[in-house]
Amino acid sequence: MVECGDGVCTEKSGQRVNGMIKPKAVVAGGAGFLGFHMTKRLLDEGFEVYVIDNYETGTRRNTRDLAAMGGEIIVGDICEPLHIPGDIDYVVNLACPASPVDFDRVPFEIMRACSHGTHNLLDLARAHRATFLQASTSEVYGDPEVHPQQEDYCGNVNIAGPRAVYDEGKRYAETLCHTYRRHHSVDVRIARIFNTYGPRMRPDDGRVVSNFCVQALSGEPLTLYGGGEQTRSFCYCSDLIEGLYRLLVSGYSQPCNIGNPSEISVRELAETILEITGSSLELKVVPALHEDDPKRRRPDITRAREVLDWEPQVVLRDGLQETLKWFEEKLAE
Ligand code: UDP
């Protein structure tokens, strides 16, 4: 066991730097929203981190900031075979376009990232005997008929629908993880990530929190897709990363929901953002983006509580205030 940051975190060999053991991690998708925060966390914990990203949805600002903190940046595509020199202790796969607008924009790229990309990263983990963390998703539950969603619920994905490129892609990636664990003894972690928000989201990523914040700050009506009665449960990024980090170092190889169980409708989210910004803008109902948009979503986090001793700490209003500050800064640029 080695010490990293404030806790015992790994049984890995690690890299010896100035007499200190530094575990080494590869973060695929490190230029993205969650990739940035996860890489920063690992650097803060004393890891040596290699970021791989092709900038499909990640930003150069994120990698510039991570490089300034000591991250090594590799511009590359996980769909190509990967060779990284030296020992690797952890491979974290956060590389995939994940906003519903991307499902129509880059459907084949999403399927390739989930299939070829995950294969390549699992091969990398296998070759280095590294622990592999897969960013899975609440989308594996599709438009759920069970509420809240527990990990043993098999889901209700419409295979023929436009969201399936992501939903089925992520389901396949989970199966790959189990198969590499069974047949190649790869030590895997599977995080089912629910809606997450916070600083470093892209203003144009098309997700509901980004859209509403940008609309509220620019004085435009907030767009309710399909009426706004559908629900989601929003987790602030620092909570999410705490959950991911705990899972990474946990030794637990079954799927684990990581999300905030506090559920609200999209309309209520819009009203909350208007209240915080003190604006009296209109709510504009527009057609749903996809006909199979999930109607309700809320994680059952019993497993995360029991296995990781984790639950979210940040309430929605506080998280939204931080997020609005970030978007204000971005719009001022
Ligand atoms: N949504 C909305 N207005 C927007 C963007 C999204 O009403 O401007 C809705 C979307 O249809 C979905 C929910 O908000 O029901 C969450 O959408 P998001 O794209 O953030 O992620 P999802 O949970 O669908 O993956």
Side-chain angles (χ1 to χ4, degrees):
M1 300 288 253
V2 295
E3 294 284 330
C4 61
D6 56 3
V8 173
C9 70
T10 174
E11 294 173 346
K12 305 291 172 183
S13 56
Q15 309 290 298
R16 197 167 278 279
V17 177
N18 299 332
M20 299 281 290
I21 299 287
K22 263 197 161 196
K24 181 159 143 189
V26 171
V27 178
F33 164 47
L34 290 181
F36 170 85
H37 290 291
M38 188 63 180
T39 303
K40 180 175 183 309
R41 172 64 184 264
L42 293 173
L43 290 169
D44 290 346
E45 294 285 347
F47 285 59
E48 189 181 344
V49 188
Y50 282 75
V51 166
I52 305 175
D53 209 295
N54 65 357
Y55 295 111
E56 176 65 54
T57 54
T59 68
R60 294 195 187 263
R61 168 168 177 182
N62 284 344
T63 45
R64 209 170 43 238
D65 292 351
L66 290 170
M69 296 172 212
E72 294 281 342
I73 313 302
I74 301 169
V75 179
D77 193 331
I78 58 165
C79 296
E80 303 300 326
L82 301 159
H83 303 286
I84 295 179
D87 292 341
I88 300 173
D89 303 292
Y90 296 94
V91 176
V92 178
N93 183 15
L94 295 168
C96 187
S99 168
V101 295
D102 296 327
F103 304 168
D104 304 308
R105 190 180 63 85
V106 282
F108 294 102
E109 288 80 351
I110 289 173
M111 287 194 286
R112 265 168 55 77
C114 291
S115 52
H116 294 48
T118 307
H119 260 295
N120 282 336
L121 290 167
L122 278 160
D123 282 338
L124 184 71
R126 182 185 178 197
H128 289 267
R129 305 180 75 79
T131 296
F132 179 86
L133 184 141
Q134 169 67 10
S136 189
T137 169
S138 54
E139 297 282 348
V140 299
Y141 303 122
D143 187 5
E145 290 158 320
V146 168
H147 194 77
Q149 293 79 54
Q150 278 182 336
E151 288 86 350
D152 58 7
Y153 173 48
C154 290
N156 177 38
V157 173
N158 172 11
I159 307 173
R163 299 180 76 98
V165 292
Y166 186 73
D167 302 8
E168 292 294 350
K170 289 286 183 175
R171 289 167 67 93
Y172 175 77
E174 282 201 23
T175 304
L176 272 181
C177 291
H178 291 298
T179 310
Y180 271 74
R181 176 176 55 76
R182 273 191 211 107
H183 293 273
H184 298 317
S185 305
V186 175
D187 186 24
V188 298
R189 311 280 179 264
I190 301 169
R192 290 192 181 150
I193 298 174
F194 283 64
N195 294 70
T196 306
Y197 69 101
R200 303 267 168 178
M201 291 185 95
R202 283 190 359 250
D204 61 349
D205 82 356
R207 289 175 166 128
V208 69
V209 173
S210 334
N211 281 6
F212 286 177
C213 288
V214 170
Q215 288 162 344
L217 294 169
S218 348
E220 290 163 19
L222 276 59
T223 47
L224 300 180
Y225 295 171
E229 303 315 316
Q230 66 274 40
T231 68
R232 294 292 188 271
S233 307
F234 296 96
C235 188
Y236 190 61
C237 55
S238 59
D239 282 334
L240 195 283
I241 295 300
E242 182 63 35
L244 278 192
Y245 182 74
R246 288 188 190 203
L247 181 63
L248 181 69
V249 300
S250 67
Y252 189 73
S253 60
Q254 291 304 307
C256 188
N257 288 341
I258 309 279
N260 192 318
S262 168
E263 177 184 4
I264 64 166
S265 72
V266 165
R267 181 181 289 274
E268 286 168 319
L269 174 72
E271 287 164 354
T272 308
I273 290 174
L274 290 184
E275 233 177 271
I276 296 174
T277 52
S279 40
S280 52
L281 294 161
E282 196 196 325
L283 301 181
K284 185 170 143 198
V285 173
V286 298
L289 194 60
H290 299 124
E291 81 269 14
D292 48 2
D293 185 21
K295 287 179 270 309
R296 299 184 73 186
R297 184 183 288 157
R298 171 156 67 100
D300 181 322
I301 60 163
T302 309
R303 187 173 285 181
R305 283 199 177 101
E306 287 175 2
V307 176
L308 312 176
D309 189 24
W310 172 87
E311 62 181 6
Q313 306 295 322
V314 180
V315 296
L316 184 65
R317 277 178 173 274
D318 294 349
L320 284 176
Q321 250 149 7
E322 290 307 308
T323 310
L324 280 157
K325 272 189 225 158
W326 159 257
F327 281 119
E328 235 164 5
E329 199 188 296
K330 291 299 293 173
L331 293 181
E333 284 169 12

